[in-house]
Amino acid sequence: MTRYENFLLIYNKKLVEFNSKLAIAKTNEEKITIFKEFYLFIKEISLILGPFYSNYRAYSYIRKTILALENKYLNTYSISKTLPNYNYIQDNHLLSYQDNEYILHYIILKTRIFLHKMINIKENYHNLDLTNYCNIACEYILDICQKLNIKALKIKINPGFSDNPKIYNGGKSHYFIVIEIDNNNYLLDPTYSQFFLLKRNIIDRIGIINLSGCDVGIFMYMDSKRKLVADKILQDGFIKLDEDTLKQYLDGFAISYRNGLYYENTLDYSYTTNYTTQDYENFLKGLDSQITYEKISYLGYQRKPSKIKR
């Protein structure tokens, strides 16, 4: 029996066990507990397997099975209780209500209706998984803004705020929009809810090889200021942009890019950053990035096992 075949024998036996436990779990709390046990088992077996590149097949199989279980048992659940504002607005109303807030609500609600029809009109909007729809949504907003003669800019966030291919995070980049109305800037993110799905927000997920750690959501909810920013965007799809808002919004992304090796080696479990608004502006302009301050191996997908913290 080869090493890979022996791994499959052990792993699949455990996989059946965890699947059976999840199948009879009645609450999300029970499911989370089972997933934590599952993640711990994966970290333990990773210590035996070793680094990613010498066990590519095994880690590819582990990733496939993790995602399958998460999608099966956690797919439609959110860690947020904030519901999106979703009311229809007639186009001709815009002619009589020209205040900034109304225009912003108009743009976001039109975009949400567009996404709802595109993805699944039969499902409640707040249950939609908006993963991978950020660019489409932003392009739609740019089109609306062009018709309304509103200045708008689409901004891309890369993992680690860098285009360095060594920072792999599942190929995930994110887009948001900044628009200017009456010399005021606003941040629009119509697909922000994708980062608050329970299936990618169990903290024990951090440290698993060949898998993104946790999404932005759990880190936004660890801090009162960040939570206010998150809930405003989740509800309305936009927020007035100032220095503090930009930092809080982007802190969530910066923290989410850190893998288990960051925590193991820095012992920094504060889930904060020292980045300033100016730092983030430089990151977004491509003048600097997170890898200037944090090791590449600490960002994106983890490629070697972490010591298990019990």
Side-chain angles (χ1 to χ4, degrees), residues 126-240:
H126 62 266
N127 287 333
L128 295 182
D129 182 352
L130 300 177
T131 305
N132 297 325
Y133 286 95
C134 60
N135 191 35
I136 293 172
C138 286
E139 286 295 324
Y140 187 80
I141 288 176
L142 289 178
D143 185 58
I144 295 176
C145 289
Q146 184 178 26
K147 292 175 181 176
L148 297 177
N149 198 30
I150 294 173
K151 185 178 179 180
L153 177 67
K154 181 175 73 172
I155 299 176
K156 182 180 182 181
I157 306 173
N158 285 318
F161 302 92
S162 170
D163 57 6
N164 190 316
K166 290 184 179 180
I167 307 178
Y168 183 72
N169 204 54
K172 288 184 179 179
S173 295
H174 184 63
Y175 294 91
F176 67 96
I177 295 285
V178 172
I179 70 173
E180 182 183 328
I181 305 177
D182 294 335
N183 296 317
N184 291 305
N185 291 323
Y186 299 88
L187 185 156
L188 284 68
D189 191 341
T191 66
Y192 195 52
S193 62
Q194 67 179 288
F195 299 116
F196 291 77
L197 297 175
L198 177 59
K199 64 183 179 181
R200 291 191 293 268
N201 279 289
I202 299 175
I203 199 71
D204 301 68
R205 214 174 184 263
I206 297 174
I208 295 177
I209 292 179
N210 198 36
L211 195 70
S212 59
C214 284
D215 267 350
V216 170
I218 191 169
F219 304 113
M220 294 301 288
Y221 277 0
M222 286 180 176
D223 177 89
S224 59
K225 285 186 177 182
R226 293 201 299 258
K227 187 177 186 301
L228 287 173
V229 170
D231 285 341
K232 168 64 175 173
I233 298 174
L234 288 170
Q235 177 175 296
D236 294 332
F238 67 86
I239 191 168
K240 189 171 182 179

Side-chain angles (χ1 to χ4, degrees), residues 183-300:
N183 296 317
N184 291 305
N185 291 323
Y186 299 88
L187 185 156
L188 284 68
D189 191 341
T191 66
Y192 195 52
S193 62
Q194 67 179 288
F195 299 116
F196 291 77
L197 297 175
L198 177 59
K199 64 183 179 181
R200 291 191 293 268
N201 279 289
I202 299 175
I203 199 71
D204 301 68
R205 214 174 184 263
I206 297 174
I208 295 177
I209 292 179
N210 198 36
L211 195 70
S212 59
C214 284
D215 267 350
V216 170
I218 191 169
F219 304 113
M220 294 301 288
Y221 277 0
M222 286 180 176
D223 177 89
S224 59
K225 285 186 177 182
R226 293 201 299 258
K227 187 177 186 301
L228 287 173
V229 170
D231 285 341
K232 168 64 175 173
I233 298 174
L234 288 170
Q235 177 175 296
D236 294 332
F238 67 86
I239 191 168
K240 189 171 182 179
L241 190 58
D242 56 33
E243 290 188 0
D244 188 59
T245 299
L246 183 65
K247 174 175 169 55
Q248 304 304 331
Y249 174 77
L250 293 178
D251 268 354
F253 287 95
I255 300 167
S256 75
Y257 297 136
R258 294 169 175 166
N259 60 41
L261 297 178
Y262 171 87
Y263 298 101
E264 177 184 333
N265 289 282
T266 67
L267 300 180
D268 173 17
Y269 291 92
S270 66
Y271 302 107
T272 60
T273 82
N274 292 321
Y275 300 127
T276 64
T277 303
Q278 186 60 59
D279 289 330
Y280 282 128
E281 289 179 0
N282 290 337
F283 289 176
L284 295 176
K285 292 175 182 177
L287 301 176
D288 200 358
S289 74
Q290 204 168 349
I291 63 175
T292 302
Y293 312 93
E294 302 176 35
K295 291 184 178 180
I296 290 182
S297 61
Y298 296 173
L299 302 170

